[in-house]
DNA sequence: ACCTGAACACCGTTCAAGT
DNA sequence: ACCTGAACACCGTTCAAGT
């Protein structure tokens, strides 16, 4: 799938590029079709049956339309996927909020995490495409605002946000899935089967390890550790060699 | 691909399970074939051409063997992929090391990150499969040892390691790719094209944001923030309400 | 102008057959 | 016992044709 992605950027012409960022084709639609309807249906399919279930054929079938009709609205499947990611990212809450910067930042990242939890397949989609669309950058803007207001330089704010975002994506992509009951039981069994001589500590921590692997609340632990660590650097920097 | 994964665990019988964890079939090999050779070739293919290039047909072609011959060594492609992940994880450095626990933990996670950087496709493979094989758990054992020695309870050690691991995976999966020169230029352009009124801070931080997105060293920033945050919790816990 | 079936070049895997 | 080609049920996408 991603082999196709990497093979066809095709450097858009300036004028064409501008058009491409908003509505690409959007034909007149003899059937009731629209880009929005296609995206909504794709998201429904994604949430219900996962990333692998989102094929052009099945999406078309769901819309009761010929497969090739979709290609009148999105030139390639990739284009549809990018639009999907942008749309979902665009719904993440970025209210200004109030209070200390640490609390505001915490709130923001929990909103990102919540969006991931609601649409797990979207996280997978973001793996290979470093999408920098407007919808996806709303969160970045908000985070940068909070961090710069707190006293971080633009460079440090950008780096700090990066660690928060990558941690959040990591948790969503590799962390516990929402149903994860069965996973936990399997984890316990796998850990219990380890040779005690080579895994002395883990053998004594089977339950604790399995719980940590299944526990959604570990997200907040890491998030708070990161934010605390960033705060230390902020105050250390201000004291140590003064901000310019 | 992963639809197939989820559809066929098939609960092994106890005796069968034991056999399955080591050598599954390993036929006598009239050609010079072996599970090891297949895995080595698969890893070479993966590193050279990426995850999508690793198809059973192409792997067989590379080995100058009929496609179906591979199925004599691995029952399914998934089985081959799991073996691949386990083998690569098994090579991560987990020397005991010395010094303060923070430095040892830092070293360990940098080793994990290094392995990811060397085999990016392996990170993708670990997305959907929460593999708990012996090879992959060596790092866990080492991390738990370090954290427990430092004074964390087994539960807190397991949770702490979890945040470190998920951050590391997040960075490797969603962070800058190793070549990423071109990405950076494209990022700058995308950020510069944002409407200044809706993105006032980001518009002023185009270069800083693009640099942070391309910078491998941001990994250490987040890693150190996390470890510092964990340390705060360790000492706070020891002072606050004493360890049992 | 809008929609679409057939076809092409791919997948993983089953099955029956080769030696 | 070991190996494998043909076949099946899928992909994304091109192309030429329908209305």
């Amino acid at each position: 799938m991603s082999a196709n992605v990497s093979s066809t950027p095709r450097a858009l012409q300036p004028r064409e590029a501008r058009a491409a960022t908003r509505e690409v084709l959007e034909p007149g639609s003899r059937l009731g079709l629209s880009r929005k309807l296609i995206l909504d249906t794709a998201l429904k399919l994604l949430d219900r049956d996962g990333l692998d279930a989102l094929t052009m054929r099945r999406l078309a079938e769901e819309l009761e339309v010929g497969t090739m009709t979709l290609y009148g609205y999105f030139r390639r499947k990739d284009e549809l996927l990018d639009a999907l990611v942008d749309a979902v990212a665009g719904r993440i809450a970025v209210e200004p909020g109030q209070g200390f910067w640490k609390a505001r930042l915490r709130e923001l990242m929990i909103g990102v995490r919540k969006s991931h939890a609601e649409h797990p397949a979207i996280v997978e989609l973001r793996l290979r495409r470093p999408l920098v669309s407007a919808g996806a950058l709303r969160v970045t803007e908000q985070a940068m605002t909070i961090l710069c207001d707190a006293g971080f330089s633009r460079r440090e704010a950008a780096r700090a946000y990066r660690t928060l975002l990558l941690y959040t994506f990591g948790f969503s992509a590799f962390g516990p899935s929402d149903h994860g009951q069965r996973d936990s039981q399997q984890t316990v069994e796998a850990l219990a089967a380890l040779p005690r001589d080579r895994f002395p500590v883990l053998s004594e921590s089977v339950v604790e390890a399995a719980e940590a692997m299944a526990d959604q609340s570990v997200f907040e632990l890491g998030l708070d550790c990161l934010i605390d660590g960033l705060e230390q650097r902020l105050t250390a920097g201000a004291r140590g060699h003064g901000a310019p």
Side-chain angles (χ1 to χ4, degrees), chain A residues 194-201 203:
Chain A
L194 289 174
R196 294 182 73 89
D197 56 332
R198 287 178 51 215
F199 296 89
V201 179
S203 295

Side-chain angles (χ1 to χ4, degrees), chain A residues 13-177:
Chain A
Q13 304 302 322
R15 207 148 322 152
E16 196 180 355
R18 191 153 316 218
T21 53
R22 334 186 209 125
E23 312 294 287
V24 183
L25 305 168
E26 190 88 64
S29 158
R30 209 140 63 196
L31 322 169
L33 222 51
S34 69
R35 286 167 69 90
K36 180 168 176 7
L37 179 60
I38 294 174
L39 288 174
D40 287 346
T41 308
L43 186 59
K44 200 171 60 183
L45 213 55
L46 218 52
D47 290 343
R48 196 214 301 150
D49 301 326
L51 186 51
D52 294 315
L54 182 58
T55 70
M56 296 304 264
R57 285 169 221 253
R58 285 176 70 165
L59 179 55
E61 197 181 6
E62 191 84 9
L63 287 159
E64 292 177 311
V65 146
T67 305
M68 294 318 301
T69 304
L70 298 176
Y71 285 81
Y73 295 79
F74 298 93
R75 271 198 283 267
R76 273 173 268 103
K77 190 186 182 185
D78 297 339
E79 203 174 284
L80 189 154
L81 297 179
D82 282 346
L84 211 46
V85 169
D86 188 61
V88 172
R91 288 189 218 145
I92 296 173
V94 291
E95 291 105 80
Q98 24 184 319
F100 193 41
W101 67 270
K102 287 174 72 176
R104 294 174 65 196
L105 198 54
R106 185 179 205 275
E107 194 85 10
L108 181 67
M109 298 320 292
I110 284 175
V112 174
R113 169 71 195 122
K114 191 173 152 222
S115 170
H116 291 171
E118 280 164 9
H119 309 290
I122 292 287
V123 179
E124 279 180 78
L125 275 181
R126 293 193 67 160
L127 247 191
R128 288 297 226 153
R129 45 192 77 236
L131 190 61
V132 278
S133 66
L137 287 171
R138 284 166 58 256
V139 175
T140 310
E141 172 70 18
Q142 179 68 6
M144 287 291 290
T145 305
I146 294 171
L147 285 161
C148 287
D149 285 354
F152 287 92
S153 71
R154 290 196 296 249
R155 175 167 182 276
E156 285 310 317
R159 292 166 62 87
Y161 170 63
R162 198 78 184 134
T163 68
L164 292 168
L165 188 73
L166 294 178
Y167 167 69
T168 304
F169 268 98
F171 194 93
S172 295
F174 299 95
S177 52

Side-chain angles (χ1 to χ4, degrees), chain A residues 164-191:
Chain A
L164 292 168
L165 188 73
L166 294 178
Y167 167 69
T168 304
F169 268 98
F171 194 93
S172 295
F174 299 95
S177 52
D178 248 339
H179 35 282
Q181 190 96 17
R182 174 156 290 257
D183 290 346
S184 186
Q185 185 53 32
Q186 288 181 315
T187 304
V188 168
E189 283 167 27
L191 295 176

